[in-house]
Amino acid sequence: MNIVVSNSSGQPIYEQIARQIKGLILRGELEEGEALPSMRLLAKDLQISVITTKRAYEELEREGFIHTMAGKGCYVSSRRGLSLDQEQQRQVEESLRRAVSEARNCGMELEQLARLLRELYLESTEGKDKK
């Protein structure tokens, strides 16, 4: 599992970890029942506090992405109760809300933001076609 954290990001490290693990689950890279690294091992690998990894895992568990088995570790939960499409849409909406807020903070107009979104979307689509 490849998790990358940034101390210079405006987002707390536990949120960065949780977001990346959610993405791995939603894309099917982590499957139902698959064990996650122990909190201590992940903390050591990322060179962060165990408290930070614990908080990330607690958030993932609260949102139903993982479950903890006492003394055994954390595992990817069954996602049967939640539509993956709905969850993915919720995550995209959350990211777009942050982008809209950032755009407003720097005075960007709706038309500029829409144009930028379209350019970025097309750019990412073209990149996939070239692979």
Side-chain angles (χ1 to χ4, degrees):
M1 183 166 66
N2 187 23
I3 302 290
V4 178
V5 295
S6 170
N7 290 324
S8 61
S9 168
Q11 186 177 41
I13 291 175
Y14 78 92
E15 286 181 6
Q16 294 176 48
I17 295 167
R19 188 186 80 246
Q20 290 178 58
I21 292 175
K22 283 181 209 176
L24 292 169
I25 294 169
L26 291 171
R27 289 189 304 275
E29 294 176 38
L30 287 175
E31 297 179 1
E32 178 181 339
E34 191 169 340
L36 296 179
S38 73
M39 290 179 213
R40 291 177 201 268
L41 180 61
L42 185 59
K44 182 180 176 190
D45 287 348
L46 298 176
Q47 299 179 344
I48 58 172
S49 165
V50 174
I51 295 168
T52 303
T53 56
K54 183 178 189 318
R55 188 161 178 195
Y57 280 20
E58 285 172 345
E59 181 174 315
L60 289 165
E61 187 163 25
R62 184 178 45 77
E63 293 181 12
F65 283 91
I66 66 171
H67 63 276
T68 304
M69 295 176 69
K72 295 192 179 203
C74 297
Y75 298 85
V76 176
S77 294
S78 165
R79 301 297 293 159
R80 282 175 277 200
L82 266 179
S83 161
L84 291 182
D85 289 341
Q86 288 174 334
E87 182 58 33
Q88 287 171 324
Q89 182 174 333
R90 187 189 67 74
Q91 286 191 343
V92 169
E93 286 176 7
E94 184 179 305
S95 295
L96 288 173
R97 284 183 202 285
R98 285 194 304 269
V100 166
S101 176
E102 203 54 41
R104 282 188 172 160
N105 286 341
C106 67
M108 186 178 284
E109 295 293 326
L110 176 60
E111 293 76 23
Q112 288 177 283
L113 180 60
R115 188 172 40 253
L116 179 59
L117 177 61
R118 180 175 172 71
E119 288 171 10
L120 291 172
Y121 185 85
L122 292 174
E123 180 180 293
S124 71
T125 303
E126 290 169 3
K128 286 182 181 179
D129 292 342
K130 290 179 184 177
K131 288 183 180 179

